[in-house]
Amino acid sequence: MSQRIEDYGPIGDLHTMALVGRDGSIDWLCLPRFDSGACFARLLGGDDAGFWQIGPAAGGGCTRRHYHGNSLVLETEWETSDGTVRLIDFMPPRDGAADVVRIVEGVSGRVPMRMELRLRFDYGHVVPWVRRQGRQQLSAIAGPDAVWLDTPAPLEGRDMRTVSEFEVGEGERVPFVLTHHPSHEPAPGRRDAGKVLDRTLDFWRRWMSGIKYDGSWEEPVHRSLITLKALSYEPTGGIVAAATTSLPEQLGGPRNWDYRFCWLRDATFTLQALLGTGFLKEAGAWRDWLLRAVAGDPADLQIMYGIDGTRRLTEYEVDWLAGYEGSRPVRIGNAAVGQFQLDVWGEVLDGLHVARMAGMTREVPAWDLQRALLDYLEGHWQDPDNSLWEVRGPRRDFVHSKVMAWAGIDRAVQGVERFGLDGPVDRWRALREQIHSEVCAKGYDADRNTFTQFYGSEGLDAALLLLPQVGFLPWDDERIVGTVDAVRRELVEEGFVMRYRPDADGGVDGLPGHEGAFLACSFWMANALHGIGRRDEATELFQRLLGLRNDLGILSEEYDVHAQRQVGNTPQAFSHVGLVNTARHLSGAPAAKEAGKKTPKQS
């Protein structure tokens, strides 16, 4: 059976990611890309869905584990009655094929070991045809996929699985190299495990040498940046929201979604995290992905795209998988791609403005695109939408969505005022004021002194914490302070922030059940407390959030405060972006969303 979500540690090659459990089992891996079918899906379907386990023959969880310095090379150690053994897991940067390399290293004594490989393509549905290729290799082929295993250890086929039983003594190394490539191509070249380990460590050393961060909480910031890098798809610069699908927001419930795509809502936050820590190349690649993905008719703008900009992300259910701890259905694709979310126009405009403020200029195509987006936004900002949380209930006039429309128009005004770009600035200024006035009139509850989730709503939304960050109102405005206090009263459980109450206003999201505390929102709360001057409380909350990371510094999407477990897809980019940006803000970076101006005093 699968382990707790926090028991997994990621390894990756900037094309895809594997999750390694504390027992030495890889229970999730999609090849050759993040969004490909999984060849190891035990995480969602049990043993028959595929896994690759290496550990002491006696079994059991590890004694300790850690990453090798600032890298994504995972070292797992067991202390047994026979001695101590180390398992080194990593995926080297691509040089044509995708490799998973596992090196068993004897530390002391002589330890009996066992390896079991169950390859199951298409999310556990397809059993490959396995053949031995010489003394040290075997191949597994099914349709378009081929995987080769290369190892000096003895291999034996047993009941549609491959098993190896061997011993490792002090100073000895036994490598296993799994290589994926298209089945119609010739066999891949053989890899020297020791050399590719050195190459992988050198890659991460060189990459981390570019970091520019001198604030507090250096270790968690570094680990979060490494995780964000690992969630990037190198060929295009896209960054996936998470490496998994259908890990539940409620254990045993139906709130299970596929997050192996790129969301526009993440654009500005991600750019801030990368630009604020010195990673201009990655920020530029993400900006360029954004420009390519959203090119075309502004009316066809989507909330998310595939890692290469693909638009069709058809959602379907995989009925042969039981789901993580019985959480069904297991979904592939994401039907929310067809939703109308007004905020994404503002998110894109804001993200491109942040890039321009950082000197990442590509003025002609970027501004032409922005002008087209602005034309659409001018005509549709009053339309109800599904909100940034992708609710599957009725469309509403969500306050955050209207505020992001305001932000998009505001960034256009700044483009003219600050950079001399061409546009009808007087009309945009008037529209900016119109949106601002409407939101303050219809989206604010004066009796409770708080903005609300949507016009006329009695519910709240953690996204309201972003209003001062985008510059809609200053931090010291009594309506902002009141909103922060209201969110703390009504959306906080055990100190952590829920996105919203699903049962508010008769069931706002159209789904049964509940969900955990959303970690990105909890980071927003720390930022908000800092912004309104409650810095000790902000730091205390941030420290508590750091305590939710697993032993490897990894965060999923949410935290179940009752079960005291991580829930939701993992590792979650939005959570790690939130960690980086909050650490920057609490260390002295501006609390506002770096719009490049003072927050206006507007009515």
Side-chain angles (χ1 to χ4, degrees):
M1 295 297 295
S2 54
Q3 302 170 64
R4 297 182 310 163
I5 291 171
E6 53 264 53
D7 286 334
Y8 289 100
I11 58 174
D13 63 357
L14 314 186
H15 288 69
T16 190
M17 183 176 283
L19 297 183
V20 186
R22 296 183 64 87
D23 61 352
S25 181
I26 297 179
D27 290 350
W28 181 256
L29 174 61
C30 300
L31 288 172
R33 310 191 329 176
F34 289 105
D35 55 356
S36 300
C39 62
F40 301 135
R42 184 195 227 175
L43 183 69
L44 299 177
D47 291 357
D48 289 340
F51 65 93
W52 185 16
Q53 186 167 6
I54 301 177
C62 65
T63 305
R64 56 187 165 268
R65 60 180 182 168
H66 61 272
Y67 287 109
H68 186 103
N70 285 323
S71 78
L72 211 63
V73 175
L74 180 61
E75 298 183 353
T76 306
E77 295 185 2
W78 290 263
E79 292 181 359
T80 75
S81 57
D82 297 296
T84 300
V85 64
R86 178 183 300 123
L87 176 62
I88 304 171
D89 286 321
F90 62 98
M91 298 182 71
R94 291 273 176 103
D95 61 356
D99 299 305
V100 181
V101 182
R102 318 192 74 182
I103 301 173
V104 180
E105 183 177 64
V107 178
S108 66
R110 191 162 191 84
V111 182
M113 300 292 293
R114 187 176 189 277
M115 186 281 298
E116 181 174 345
L117 173 66
R118 293 195 195 185
L119 279 161
R120 300 292 186 266
F121 295 112
D122 191 25
Y123 305 101
H125 191 246
V126 177
V127 180
W129 184 262
V130 179
R131 294 182 295 175
R132 186 176 292 277
Q133 305 286 343
R135 295 181 59 188
Q136 293 186 208
Q137 288 184 301
L138 59 79
S139 64
I141 297 175
D145 296 298
V147 167
W148 289 69
L149 178 65
D150 190 346
T151 179
L155 298 174
E156 179 182 349
R158 298 180 190 171
D159 301 325
M160 310 298 285
R161 54 200 170 97
T162 301
V163 175
S164 179
E165 295 172 343
F166 59 99
E167 292 186 352
V168 61
E170 181 176 348
E172 295 177 352
R173 279 186 167 185
V174 181
F176 295 81
V177 180
L178 190 77
T179 302
H180 174 274
H181 71 111
S183 59
H184 64 274
E185 294 183 356
R190 302 183 70 178
R191 269 58 166 173
D192 182 308
K195 289 182 179 179
V196 293
L197 173 59
D198 292 340
R199 179 166 63 89
T200 303
L201 289 171
D202 182 62
F203 167 83
W204 286 108
R205 277 192 294 266
R206 286 185 286 107
W207 187 75
M208 284 299 295
S209 68
I211 193 169
K212 293 181 176 62
Y213 178 78
D214 56 4
S216 303
W217 304 288
E218 182 179 276
E219 181 277 324
V221 168
H222 286 187
R223 180 49 53 188
S224 290
L225 288 167
I226 291 168
T227 304
L228 289 174
K229 178 66 172 176
L231 288 168
S232 66
Y233 182 61
E234 188 175 48
T236 67
I239 300 175
V240 296
T244 56
T245 180
S246 299
L247 289 181
E249 297 172 3
Q250 175 190 0
L251 294 169
R255 295 170 180 265
N256 319 314
W257 317 110
D258 194 345
Y259 274 16
R260 297 171 298 159
F261 310 115
C262 305
W263 265 256
L264 298 189
R265 73 175 183 203
D266 302 358
T268 305
F269 298 100
T270 303
L271 281 168
Q272 287 172 0
L274 295 172
L275 290 169
T277 52
F279 292 109
L280 301 184
K281 177 182 177 182
E282 285 72 17
W286 174 237
R287 187 275 317 271
D288 288 348
W289 175 90
L290 185 66
L291 287 171
R292 293 192 304 270
V294 305
D297 186 348
D300 292 332
L301 191 68
Q302 297 182 176
I303 67 168
M304 71 181 86
Y305 297 84
I307 54 179
D308 56 3
T310 297
R311 288 175 170 263
R312 294 188 183 275
L313 308 175
T314 305
E315 181 179 305
Y316 63 94
E317 297 179 4
V318 177
D319 57 9
W320 60 85
L321 294 179
Y324 181 85
E325 296 192 9
S327 304
R328 303 184 74 172
V330 172
R331 293 182 171 95
I332 308 301
N334 200 311
V337 70
Q339 288 187 346
F340 173 65
Q341 293 182 22
L342 179 66
D343 66 287
V344 298
W345 278 263
E347 295 289 2
V348 173
L349 291 163
D350 190 25
L352 294 175
H353 178 76
V354 167
R356 183 176 292 113
M357 290 293 297
M360 298 165 56
T361 56
R362 184 176 286 187
E363 289 302 358
V364 174
W367 186 243
D368 286 347
L369 173 63
Q370 286 174 268
R371 287 290 303 268
L373 294 174
L374 286 160
D375 287 345
Y376 182 85
L377 191 57
E378 283 188 80
H380 294 273
W381 70 269
Q382 292 178 307
D383 296 348
D385 75 317
N386 297 102
S387 96
L388 83 164
W389 302 131
E390 299 155 18
V391 299
R392 300 198 177 193
R395 291 181 179 179
R396 318 262 193 171
D397 290 304
F398 286 97
V399 170
H400 171 264
S401 299
K402 303 301 185 189
V403 169
M404 288 313 301
W406 174 93
I409 302 299
D410 175 75
R411 302 326 183 237
V413 172
Q414 291 193 57
V416 175
E417 293 177 343
R418 288 175 166 269
F419 298 97
L421 299 172
D422 180 57
V425 68
D426 290 336
R427 190 175 81 221
W428 288 340
R429 289 192 188 107
L431 179 58
R432 180 177 64 177
E433 179 58 31
Q434 180 185 355
I435 299 172
H436 197 280
S437 297
E438 180 181 294
V439 171
C440 291
K442 296 182 178 180
Y444 175 71
D445 184 338
D447 293 336
R448 296 158 63 202
N449 189 27
T450 182
F451 286 93
T452 59
Q453 185 172 27
F454 53 85
Y455 292 174
S457 170
E458 295 183 359
L460 297 178
D461 188 331
L464 299 171
L465 298 171
L466 300 176
L467 268 60
Q469 290 196 46
V470 301
F472 186 76
L473 285 171
W475 287 101
D476 58 0
D477 189 290
E478 64 178 13
R479 292 166 292 184
I480 294 300
V481 176
T483 299
V484 174
D485 286 336
V487 170
R488 292 186 80 184
R489 284 194 310 269
E490 300 183 28
L491 294 185
V492 169
E493 289 191 4
E494 302 298 327
F496 303 114
V497 183
M498 316 296 289
R499 294 189 298 178
Y500 53 88
R501 295 288 180 186
D503 56 354
D505 297 294
V508 65
D509 66 7
L511 292 168
H514 61 272
E515 61 181 29
F518 201 80
L519 296 179
C521 296
S522 299
F523 286 116
W524 296 348
M525 175 60 79
N527 290 338
L529 291 170
H530 178 265
I532 65 175
R534 301 175 189 172
R535 296 179 180 176
D536 290 344
E537 295 175 57
T539 301
E540 180 184 1
L541 174 56
F542 185 65
Q543 291 288 168
R544 288 195 65 200
L545 286 164
L546 293 183
L548 301 184
R549 301 179 305 149
N550 73 357
D551 57 316
L552 297 172
I554 303 301
L555 288 169
S556 68
E557 178 188 19
E558 299 182 2
Y559 183 74
D560 187 323
V561 298
H562 304 294
Q564 297 187 336
R565 293 177 53 182
Q566 291 190 20
V567 290
N569 286 302
T570 195
Q572 179 81 1
F574 217 24
S575 298
H576 286 281
V577 165
L579 188 157
V580 172
N581 286 334
T582 302
R584 293 177 52 242
H585 294 160
L586 299 189
S587 296
K593 215 177 179 185
E594 283 115 347
K597 66 183 185 70
K598 293 182 179 179
T599 306
K601 295 275 188 181
Q602 291 179 283
S603 61

